[in-house]
Amino acid sequence: MHLLADANLPQFADLVARLQTQLRQPITLQTYSERQPSAAQLAQADALFIRSVTKVDAALLAQAPRLKWLGTATIGMDHVDQAAVAAAGIIFHSTPGVNAQAVGDYVACAVAQVNLTQQRPPQGRAAIIGAGHTGRAAGQRLQGLGYAVHYYDPPLLESGKAAVAVHADWQQVLTSQVISCHVPLTSEGPYKTRHLWQYADLSQLAPDTVFVNASRGPVVAEADLLRCLQQRQALSVVLDVWEHEPNLDPELLALVKIATPHIAGHSLAGKLGGSLQLLQKWLADQQLNARLPSLPELLASTAVGRTLQVDSAQAPDWQQLARWLLQVYDIAADDALLRAAPTTASAFDQLRRNYAARAELSQLQVATANWLDATWQTRFSQLTVQTAR
C-alpha cells in the first residue's frame, strides 16, 4: 500500500510509522512539499492525503492510475473536482470541523486586535455569514467578546437543519459592526458565493465596520474591495484568504488592517487533528485494525499545549480580556511576517510551509476565579470552548 501525503501535514509520517508496526501488510509513504505532487509520485500512489493548496482535477487523476482513496485535511472542498473523483471510483473524504476552533480563534483575535488598536470597545452586532462549524466557532467567541451575534445562512434556513438560529436578511449583515465570512466557494446555483461581496454592498458598510474573510478568497471581489478601501480608508478589513493566492495585490495588502497567508485554521491542534482524522478514515475504509493515539495524547507530547495562567484580583475590562487572547495567539506577528515578505507566490507558500506551532484559546484558563461571576463564566466558556474533532 503506497501513501502520498502533503509534507505539511504535521506528524503524519510518525503516525504512519505507528501503523507500520501494527499492520501485517507493508505501507510505504512519500511526501511532497510543492502545491502539486509530481507525476512520478502520483503514478505510484494508492492513497493521497492533501490540504487546500493541492488541486485535484481530471488532469491530476490521469497521472494517478492506482489511486483509490483521497482525503483532504480541510472542511472546504472547492479544490477537489468531486465529479471527476467519483467517476474514477475513488473514495473521497474531507475533515469538517477539524480546524473550526482555530478559525474561531483567528476571528476573535483579529477583532480584539482591531479594537485595541483603535481603542474601540466591542459592542453592537456581529454578523456571521455561514452557520457551519467554523461560523459557529467564530460566533461563540465574538459573543464572549461582547457582541450580539446573528447568523446569515439562507441555504441552512431553507433546509431547516441549522444548529443555531439563522436568517436570510442581507440588510442585517450590511448594518452590523462586525462581519465575518465562513462560506464554501460555489460558482453556481441560487446561493453561489463567488464574488458574494462586490462594490455595491462593500460601499454600504459603515466606516467603522470590521470585515473579516477567513473562508475563501474569491468570496470577495478584490478589485471592488480595493476600490472601496481607496475611497474609504476607515473600513477595517481582515483578510486571511485572497482571490488570486498565492499571488497578492500589493495595493490591497497595504490597505487592509490585518493580512495573513491563509493560516486561520493552522493551530497545531487543528493541523494535528487533520492528520489524525484522515488516517482514521483511511483505516476504516481499508478495514484495517490498528490503534492511533488520540488528539489529546498527541498534543501532550508537544511543546504547544500548556495552559496559559492569567491572574487578576478583579474582573477584567475589555482591553485586558483582548490582551489575554492575544497572548495566546499574537495575530499581529503573523500580519508583520506577511508584510515583510515579498509579494510573490513562493514567499506566500513559504510562510505557510514554515508556519510556527500555534496554541488555541481553549488553553486560556484563570489562576484565580474569585471575580468570575456568572456573566464572566459564560464569556470565558464562549471564548475558550472546546469541542470534539
Side-chain angles (χ1 to χ4, degrees):
M1 188 75 68
H2 190 82
L3 312 185
L4 176 60
D6 189 308
N8 208 31
L9 289 170
Q11 295 195 27
F12 195 87
D14 293 339
L15 291 170
V16 171
R18 294 191 190 211
L19 294 179
Q20 288 171 325
T21 63
Q22 300 177 57
L23 299 174
R24 294 181 179 179
Q25 64 184 104
I27 302 175
T28 59
L29 172 67
Q30 267 193 312
T31 61
Y32 64 98
S33 56
E34 300 300 321
R35 287 186 163 243
Q36 300 293 117
S38 70
Q41 290 174 318
L42 287 168
Q44 302 177 58
D46 297 301
L48 176 60
F49 301 78
I50 66 172
R51 299 182 308 119
S52 62
V53 296
T54 298
K55 182 178 180 181
V56 176
D57 55 15
L60 180 143
L61 297 177
Q63 300 176 74
R66 294 174 48 175
L67 191 66
K68 294 300 178 186
W69 194 95
L70 170 68
T72 179
T74 61
I75 183 172
M77 297 180 288
D78 53 274
H79 54 298
V80 175
D81 184 339
Q82 294 181 64
V85 169
I90 296 169
I91 297 171
F92 173 55
H93 290 285
S94 62
T95 54
V98 73
N99 63 353
Q101 291 191 60
V103 175
D105 291 354
Y106 177 94
V107 173
C109 290
V111 174
Q113 179 68 36
V114 170
N115 288 343
L116 272 181
T117 301
Q118 299 181 352
Q119 279 302 296
R120 183 175 62 199
Q123 57 189 11
R125 295 179 305 140
I128 304 295
I129 305 177
H133 293 283
T134 61
R136 296 198 307 274
Q140 283 182 297
R141 286 155 178 79
L142 291 178
Q143 281 183 300
L145 284 179
Y147 290 97
V149 174
H150 60 100
Y151 296 86
Y152 173 86
D153 198 320
L156 271 182
L157 181 65
E158 184 177 288
S159 72
K161 298 178 180 180
V164 292
V166 297
H167 67 85
D169 185 351
W170 187 244
Q171 196 59 35
Q172 282 194 55
V173 175
L174 296 180
T175 56
S176 295
Q177 284 65 53
V178 174
I179 301 170
S180 191
C181 302
H182 301 275
V183 295
L185 180 62
T186 55
S187 301
E188 298 176 347
Y191 304 117
K192 67 178 182 179
T193 61
R194 183 179 293 274
H195 287 189
L196 174 67
W197 285 97
Q198 300 181 35
Y199 183 80
D201 289 326
L202 290 166
S203 62
Q204 291 185 53
L205 302 182
D208 59 351
T209 302
V210 182
F211 180 89
V212 184
N213 187 16
S215 57
R216 287 292 183 263
V219 168
V220 179
E222 283 192 0
D224 290 355
L225 178 60
L226 177 60
R227 177 185 167 196
C228 187
L229 289 176
Q230 288 171 333
Q231 296 171 347
R232 304 165 63 227
Q233 303 248 350
L235 192 65
S236 296
V237 174
V238 178
L239 293 183
D240 179 59
V241 290
W242 308 78
E243 184 173 6
H244 307 294
E245 66 180 63
N247 300 296
L248 302 188
D249 182 337
E251 289 186 80
L252 181 60
L253 177 62
L255 291 176
V256 300
K257 288 291 190 295
I258 297 176
T260 52
H262 201 154
I263 47 76
H266 277 31
S267 70
L268 181 60
K271 292 175 72 176
L272 278 175
S275 295
L276 188 61
Q277 195 176 124
L278 283 184
L279 279 172
Q280 289 169 334
K281 291 175 184 287
W282 178 76
L283 284 172
D285 288 337
Q286 304 304 313
Q287 299 182 337
L288 296 173
N289 186 21
R291 181 190 179 276
L292 287 167
S294 67
L295 182 58
E297 288 174 326
L298 286 176
L299 288 173
S301 66
T302 69
V304 174
R306 307 292 182 256
T307 298
L308 172 67
Q309 297 287 343
V310 295
D311 196 351
S312 178
Q314 58 186 1
D317 56 19
W318 70 268
Q319 291 102 326
Q320 181 63 64
L321 183 59
R323 284 192 288 268
W324 282 345
L325 300 189
L326 296 171
Q327 284 183 60
V328 180
Y329 172 40
D330 182 5
I331 193 170
D334 281 345
D335 172 83
L337 286 173
L338 181 59
R339 293 183 192 279
T343 52
T344 62
S346 60
F348 187 92
D349 284 343
Q350 187 78 0
L351 287 172
R352 300 188 81 224
R353 267 196 301 270
N354 299 326
Y355 192 65
R358 183 177 110 209
E360 290 189 349
L361 295 186
S362 58
Q363 296 163 229
L364 179 60
Q365 298 185 13
V366 290
T368 59
N370 295 332
W371 48 264
L372 281 182
D373 59 19
T375 298
W376 280 100
Q377 288 281 11
T378 299
R379 292 187 69 173
F380 261 79
S381 67
Q382 290 168 333
L383 285 164
T384 62
V385 63
Q386 299 186 49
T387 59
R389 297 180 197 269

